[in-house]
Amino acid sequence: MVLEVVEIRIRAEDSAKFEMAITEALTTITARAQGMVKYRLIRGLETPSRYLMEIVWNGLEDHSQYRASEPRQRWLELVSPYFDGSPFMEHFELLVSGAEAPN
């Protein structure tokens, strides 16, 4: 398994539009990608115009194939108009995982 982490910064005035666009992109495009396991989008509390997108892939090859696909181009068309600079993306592998704390 490979974790893709993307830091996305947007223009603050576009947050509602961006969140609608990326929700559509994740649920209708990313969710259907071959090898995609799960995803989540996280918004910064101190910096609400900063987002982290995490996508778990079965392998790096799955993500590479997705990045070269037509659906990925559509994904970019939906969300990139709201970017404030280029997103920063990096791949990670899980080393240690813990259980959720009881409530």
Side-chain angles (χ1 to χ4, degrees):
M1 298 270 204
V2 171
L3 174 63
E4 169 195 5
V5 178
V6 183
E7 178 185 5
I8 302 170
R9 292 182 181 263
I10 64 156
R11 294 177 301 278
E13 65 271 14
D14 290 334
S15 63
K17 291 178 184 176
F18 169 75
E19 289 176 13
M20 286 176 41
I22 199 162
T23 297
E24 178 183 347
L26 288 168
T27 59
T28 65
I29 299 171
T30 306
R32 296 179 181 159
Q34 179 179 336
M36 195 285 305
V37 176
K38 63 182 179 178
Y39 61 84
R40 69 183 188 165
L41 181 68
I42 305 162
R43 179 177 52 221
L45 292 176
E46 289 80 12
T47 311
S49 60
R50 182 176 177 231
Y51 295 80
L52 294 178
M53 181 179 69
E54 299 178 346
I55 303 175
V56 176
W57 298 92
N58 282 326
L60 191 54
E61 291 173 9
D62 290 313
H63 184 226
S64 296
Q65 289 175 359
Y66 171 70
R67 286 180 58 91
S69 71
E70 178 61 34
R72 169 70 169 21
Q73 295 309 310
R74 174 70 181 128
W75 192 97
L76 285 172
E77 290 170 7
L78 286 170
V79 301
S80 65
Y82 307 106
F83 292 167
D84 187 11
S86 296
F88 178 77
M89 187 273 297
E90 202 166 345
H91 293 105
F92 295 86
E93 62 182 340
L94 179 65
L95 296 179
V96 178
S97 181
E100 292 185 27
N103 291 329

